[in-house]
Amino acid sequence: ELKVEQNPLFLSMQEGKNYTIYCNYSTTSDRLYWYRQDPGKSLESLFVLLSNGAVKQEGRLMASLDTKARLSTLHITAAVHDLSATYFCAVDMGGSQGNLIFGKGTKLSVKP
Amino acid sequence: DAGVIQSPRHEVTEMGQEVTLRCKPISGHNSLFWYRQTMMRGLELLIYFNNNVPIDDSGMPEDRFSAKMPNASFSTLKIQPSEPRDSAVYFCASRRPPGNTIYFGEGSWLTVV
């Protein structure tokens, strides 16, 4: 059974600080996705990582994928309050009929 | 694209009643997913369809839950009879596989009292 583990599950940061969220998974996959969810809202796609070594950046967020280590990271640079949300990683089961298995999410709170 | 459309957005029902949730995927997407989200269990895949055919329903909690996709633009998730422990947010999502992200609807917030 594929397991997707995120850590930390809760993260309280000060504005301007840097931090990294980790996503480990237990089986071979070369596709990983990051989503953001604001309270009471749906999940919004942030990044699609489709190969080993893939790196994507959008604003203060940067995601990377190491398929050999079965690890993805979401790095936050100089956090601002607007980044407060829950971030999920999801691993693609693969194939043309695959689904995504989600981690439990990391609830990020950025304080002034 | 209009996005994934779900209805109802909110539903409060009494235990024992039948609940039907509806979903219209993004046009051209041939995979459709039903997820359930709770505080305790996080985001769980209930069932997914590919080209209107159920591929994996192992996440469906029990026989009280059923899902159908009669055509490429419509799916339903039915709970009969409903129980308080079914209270959750139910998300429908769709995508064009492979290697494409899943797009989520706004969710159906279900409360069973």
Side-chain angles (χ1 to χ4, degrees):
Chain A
E1 177 186 347
L2 172 63
K3 292 185 178 180
V4 181
E5 295 184 350
Q6 285 184 240
N7 70 85
L9 297 182
F10 298 93
L11 177 57
S12 181
M13 298 176 61
Q14 280 193 312
E15 282 191 329
K17 298 294 187 182
N18 304 332
Y19 209 85
T20 300
I21 299 170
Y22 297 88
C23 175
N24 292 272
Y25 53 98
S26 62
T27 194
T28 302
S29 176
D30 57 2
R31 297 172 186 162
L32 190 136
Y33 309 81
W34 284 95
Y35 291 84
R36 168 179 172 148
Q37 186 178 33
D38 292 298
K41 301 293 186 182
S42 184
L43 282 80
E44 173 190 359
S45 178
L46 289 176
F47 299 110
V48 178
L49 303 169
L50 297 179
S51 62
N52 185 41
V55 177
K56 295 281 185 71
Q57 183 164 4
E58 180 73 32
R60 300 175 187 274
L61 300 178
M62 183 173 70
S64 65
L65 178 61
D66 181 343
T67 58
K68 294 180 181 178
R70 300 179 184 174
L71 171 69
S72 180
T73 60
L74 181 66
H75 186 72
I76 304 155
T77 301
V80 293
H81 178 69
D82 285 352
L83 291 179
S84 297
T86 299
Y87 293 86
F88 292 90
C89 65
V91 176
D92 198 325
M93 293 295 287
S96 61
Q97 300 178 339
N99 67 79
L100 303 189
I101 304 298
F102 283 80
K104 290 191 179 296
T106 297
K107 187 172 182 178
L108 172 65
S109 176
V110 181
K111 302 182 185 302
Chain B
D1 283 334
V4 178
I5 300 172
Q6 292 187 245
S7 65
R9 291 294 313 281
H10 299 274
E11 175 135 354
V12 180
T13 190
E14 291 186 346
M15 182 174 63
Q17 296 297 306
E18 177 178 294
V19 174
T20 299
L21 308 179
R22 298 172 177 80
C23 176
K24 176 179 169 57
I26 293 172
S27 177
H29 285 194
N30 56 354
S31 290
L32 183 139
F33 306 81
W34 283 101
Y35 286 90
R36 177 172 70 175
Q37 187 176 39
T38 61
M39 289 293 293
M40 290 298 295
R41 300 177 66 89
L43 198 60
E44 304 173 279
L45 177 69
L46 299 178
I47 186 171
Y48 78 96
F49 296 83
N50 199 46
N51 294 321
N52 311 339
V53 176
I55 301 302
D56 183 357
D57 65 355
S58 59
M60 296 285 264
E62 49 199 89
D63 291 345
R64 297 185 298 106
F65 285 68
S66 62
K68 294 182 179 179
M69 191 166 186
N71 57 63
S73 59
F74 184 67
S75 177
T76 60
L77 178 67
K78 187 174 293 187
I79 309 172
Q80 167 64 22
S82 58
E83 296 181 3
R85 60 191 168 124
D86 300 331
S87 297
V89 184
Y90 291 81
F91 286 105
C92 178
S94 70
R95 76 165 175 177
R96 285 195 193 98
N100 292 289
T101 194
I102 288 179
Y103 293 89
F104 283 78
E106 293 299 308
S108 291
W109 298 70
L110 174 65
T111 302
V112 183
V113 298

